[in-house]
Amino acid sequence: MSLATTSAAMVGRDAELAVLHEALRSAVEGESASVLVGGEAGIGKSRLTAEFRRRVAPDATVLTGWCLDYGSTPAPYGPLPAILRGVLDELGDRADDAAGPGRDALQLLLPERAVAPVDRSAIRPEGLRETIANLLEAASAIRPVVVIVEDLHWADAATLSMLSFLLRALATRPVLFLLTCRIDEVRRGGAVRSFLAEAERARLLDRIMLNRLDALAVRDLVQALRGPVDDAGLARLMERSE
């Protein structure tokens, strides 16, 4: 017999979900309202974003990309190909017109779009930024857009530069950026720390810090997974799991 290891119901994060829904409402109304969800590894950042994604998917275009850990050299533009493929799917036949004159720059991140060898030296980084902003803006004219970037602590400099531009370029559009990050893994003086400090100083990014679940929430979670638990069992579980 297999036992469930994840609960279908979200437990102990109602307040954080409410903040995310309010941020999306603000973005729809033309206010800058993007959010960083921070916390230690395993605290539930991805679970929170997954639940938010599930709840808003009927009414918003949700695009998700991941920063990946490749050791000392992060992958350039790591989360962007998945995000771009999602927005191109959303726009369909309108994508090329929406991308604008710099559409060829997309070949840098989406090699399947190339019809001939790409001359990378002829493509300007600023052209790529503007093209991505154009696509997200066009998608947001259809319905609100939520861009989720997971594991920002592994982001490379190119991704951070792109996000810095997009947060500003789309600040008054119905686009919500939702970033997750292990704050304790962000190096002091590093590129991610500098990006976060600047984005928060410019009021382009709000921060939610996830704390560990309290005893009441842990009891609810255990009961959802395994059934009733007595006080002694709950105490042992909280001590072992921290």
Side-chain angles (χ1 to χ4, degrees):
M1 179 181 67
S2 62
L3 295 175
T5 57
T6 57
S7 172
M10 191 75 191
V11 172
R13 302 299 187 200
D14 290 345
E16 291 85 354
L17 277 171
V19 171
L20 297 182
H21 282 287
E22 178 62 20
L24 181 56
R25 184 197 63 77
S26 296
V28 170
E29 294 180 357
E31 303 174 18
S32 178
S34 293
V35 178
L36 171 80
V37 177
E40 62 190 276
I43 200 71
K45 301 181 294 297
S46 293
R47 179 68 177 88
L48 176 65
T49 59
E51 180 65 17
F52 180 65
R53 178 170 58 237
R54 184 187 68 80
R55 295 190 184 197
V56 303
D59 303 306
T61 297
V62 184
L63 311 167
T64 304
W66 296 263
C67 301
L68 302 175
D69 181 14
Y70 287 109
S72 60
T73 307
Y77 297 116
L80 290 178
I83 290 169
L84 281 174
R85 290 186 179 101
V87 75
L88 291 174
D89 286 345
E90 176 71 13
L91 291 169
D93 294 339
R94 292 166 288 185
D96 280 345
D97 287 340
R103 65 179 66 89
D104 287 348
L106 295 175
Q107 298 173 46
L108 285 173
L109 301 181
L110 302 177
E112 66 269 21
R113 290 180 61 87
V115 295
V118 179
D119 181 3
R120 292 178 176 268
S121 64
I123 297 177
R124 299 174 298 118
E126 56 269 27
L128 180 61
R129 292 197 296 263
E130 291 163 4
T131 299
I132 293 174
N134 288 343
L135 289 170
L136 291 173
E137 184 174 358
S140 74
I142 301 171
R143 59 179 188 160
V145 172
V146 178
V147 179
I148 300 175
V149 177
E150 295 272 16
D151 296 325
L152 189 74
H153 47 278
W154 286 327
D156 63 288
T159 294
L160 296 173
S161 177
M162 178 69 72
L163 287 173
S164 182
F165 173 81
L166 293 175
L167 284 171
R168 289 169 170 79
L170 300 170
T172 60
R173 301 294 189 267
V175 179
L176 172 68
F177 287 88
L178 176 53
L179 317 176
T180 71
C181 184
R182 298 179 193 169
I183 297 298
D184 56 325
E185 293 193 15
V186 174
R187 289 190 301 109
R188 187 177 298 278
V192 175
R193 177 71 64 91
S194 298
F195 163 79
L196 293 176
E198 176 57 30
E200 291 176 328
R201 184 163 50 244
R203 298 184 178 180
L204 296 168
L205 195 62
D206 294 322
R207 183 180 296 203
I208 299 174
M209 291 301 296
L210 295 188
N211 298 313
R212 299 176 184 184
L213 297 176
D214 61 22
L216 197 58
V218 172
R219 184 186 294 275
D220 290 342
L221 180 59
V222 173
Q223 289 184 162
L225 291 171
R226 303 293 177 89
V229 58
D230 58 26
D231 291 343
L234 179 64
R236 287 195 301 272
L237 177 62
M238 293 193 68
E239 180 181 0
R240 293 178 63 183
S241 67
E242 299 184 350

